[in-house]
Amino acid sequence: MLFDKNNKLQIILNILNIFFNSLNSIIILLLTYLNKKLNIILISYILILLLFSILFLFLSNKSIKKDIKIIKSSNRIR
């Protein structure tokens, strides 16, 4: 809502969010590997949510790029 007109900024923020979510997933995996006493079920739910988040961020990035293409093609028609 805040960045409706600024598609390039949306893509950049999306990529940063994907990076940080991936980094977060790696850190959680390393912590579970190092510490065997952690609750595996809870960790698995967290990882699944992070993976879904990354998936939806990729999908939103793809949609933003499609929007940019549509806007550019409509500008050519004018």
Side-chain angles (χ1 to χ4, degrees):
M1 189 162 164
L2 187 63
F3 304 111
D4 273 346
K5 301 292 181 183
N6 201 348
N7 290 335
K8 301 287 184 188
L9 182 61
Q10 282 181 348
I11 291 176
I12 291 170
L13 290 176
N14 240 353
I15 291 171
L16 280 174
N17 203 351
I18 289 170
F19 172 73
F20 287 124
N21 276 346
S22 301
L23 187 68
N24 203 3
S25 299
I26 292 170
I27 289 171
I28 289 174
L29 284 173
L30 285 174
L31 287 176
T32 55
Y33 179 73
L34 295 176
N35 189 0
K36 304 294 183 188
K37 295 178 184 176
L38 291 174
N39 191 355
I40 300 298
I41 296 172
L42 180 65
I43 301 293
S44 62
Y45 284 138
I46 292 171
L47 283 175
I48 288 172
L49 287 175
L50 282 171
L51 290 176
F52 274 124
S53 170
I54 292 170
L55 174 72
F56 286 128
L57 285 169
F58 273 120
L59 291 175
S60 67
N61 225 1
K62 188 175 177 181
S63 297
I64 292 169
K65 287 178 183 178
K66 274 186 183 179
D67 275 352
I68 291 173
K69 281 185 179 181
I70 291 172
I71 290 170
K72 284 182 180 181
S73 71
S74 70
N75 284 341
R76 275 187 240 140
I77 293 175
R78 284 197 256 166

